Amino acid sequence: MKKSVVILVTGIALSSMLFQSCKDNSADKIEVKPSKEMVEKVMGNTKENEDPQKLTIQHMKDAFKGETTANAKYAAFSKKAEEEGYPEIAMLFKAASGAELIHANNHKVVLQRMGEEIPVVTTEFTVGSTMENLKNAIDGESYEFNTMYPNFIKDANAAGNYMAQISLTYAYKVEQKHRDFYKTALKALEEGNVSSLPSVYYLCPTCGNTYATTAPARCEISMTDSKLFIKVDKL
């Protein structure tokens, strides 16, 4: 019983000290602001509370804009590489540009099937040197492969939107290959060995899968017959 009394007295004394301390420092105002995350959680604006289907619609529009821009950007990068005397890199950019157009058209079909209006895209990008353009392309493809498409696919799955999931997955898998092609090209450019790069590419018309030099009997992503592949060998 004595022990309880001691604890109670100590607690009262401590509370008194804290109260007095706050009173003594009343001139110093302490403002506590809730974090953005806290506000969003209270207001019910977190992503978890959003309709997966609405998210997927927005994602498909964003993906369509991104792929449409990439199509135009890589075409411009191809022209620049050709001007600078790097035909092999120009061919790579041309092939990738074609693949991005396939992705954009796939996304467009999904949006149309959902009854959505197709966004009007005004492409904006900067054309630098071929080395700068390769670095830009690596950054863009890395973001799409590591962050953008995985998140978009997750939401499409949650929405049960099968067509969106297929279209997004096609692009996701191909962007990884494009990133690796660009890394190889950048290394060859830095080492002065651009002539060692492929000069012929094949595109799967279904998913945009891109093959250098030769292609298998069927696309390894969509199973499309290689007889239907688009050959890219002329600038």
Side-chain angles (χ1 to χ4, degrees):
M1 187 64 178
K2 289 183 179 179
K3 185 180 292 186
S4 300
V5 173
V6 172
I7 293 174
L8 178 60
V9 171
T10 303
I12 294 173
L14 180 58
S15 298
S16 177
M17 291 171 62
L18 290 173
F19 176 79
Q20 185 62 40
S21 176
C22 290
K23 184 177 180 181
D24 292 343
N25 294 294
S26 59
D28 298 325
K29 295 183 179 179
I30 301 176
E31 184 178 4
V32 180
K33 292 184 178 180
S35 65
K36 180 181 178 182
E37 291 75 12
M38 181 66 73
V39 172
E40 290 182 341
K41 187 172 183 179
V42 172
M43 297 299 293
N45 293 329
T46 57
K47 183 179 178 181
E48 289 76 6
N49 294 328
E50 292 186 48
D51 180 2
Q53 184 69 352
K54 289 183 179 180
L55 279 173
T56 297
I57 291 172
Q58 186 57 53
H59 291 338
M60 294 307 301
K61 291 181 178 180
D62 290 341
F64 172 75
K65 292 177 183 178
E67 298 295 351
T68 300
T69 298
N71 164 247
K73 180 171 71 172
Y74 292 158
F77 286 0
S78 176
K79 183 178 180 181
K80 183 65 174 180
E82 184 179 13
E83 292 173 352
E84 292 187 347
Y86 304 123
E88 293 84 2
I89 297 179
M91 198 69 70
L92 169 58
F93 275 129
K94 182 176 181 179
S97 175
E100 308 300 6
L101 180 59
I102 293 171
H103 295 161
N105 286 335
N106 285 343
H107 298 337
K108 180 179 179 179
V109 169
V110 175
L111 286 168
Q112 289 173 330
R113 287 292 295 271
M114 290 191 290
E116 293 296 320
E117 185 176 348
I118 306 304
V120 176
V121 182
T122 301
T123 58
E124 295 181 2
F125 54 84
T126 300
V127 178
S129 66
T130 296
M131 183 171 291
E132 292 172 332
N133 293 339
L134 282 171
K135 291 178 180 178
N136 176 285
I138 291 171
D139 288 343
E141 301 293 339
S142 295
Y143 166 71
E144 289 186 347
F145 173 73
N146 292 319
T147 304
M148 188 184 88
Y149 276 121
N151 289 333
F152 286 5
I153 293 169
K154 180 180 178 181
D155 288 331
N157 288 335
N161 193 322
Y162 185 62
M163 285 192 67
Q165 186 244 332
I166 291 176
S167 185
L168 294 168
T169 299
Y170 280 169
Y172 163 70
K173 291 185 175 181
V174 176
E175 305 306 8
Q176 180 184 21
K177 295 187 69 174
H178 287 174
R179 180 200 61 186
D180 293 343
F181 280 140
Y182 290 142
K183 284 185 175 181
T184 299
L186 179 59
K187 182 178 180 182
L189 180 59
E190 292 173 337
E191 296 177 351
N193 193 28
V194 174
S195 61
S196 67
L197 296 173
S199 57
V200 178
Y201 292 88
Y202 294 89
L203 302 179
C204 171
T206 303
C207 66
N209 198 358
T210 309
Y211 292 95
T213 307
T214 60
R218 287 184 178 275
C219 173
E220 295 163 320
I221 296 176
S222 68
M223 293 295 292
T224 301
D225 195 313
S226 63
K227 293 178 182 178
L228 301 175
F229 282 11
I230 302 167
K231 186 176 183 179
V232 181
D233 62 347
K234 293 181 176 61
L235 294 174

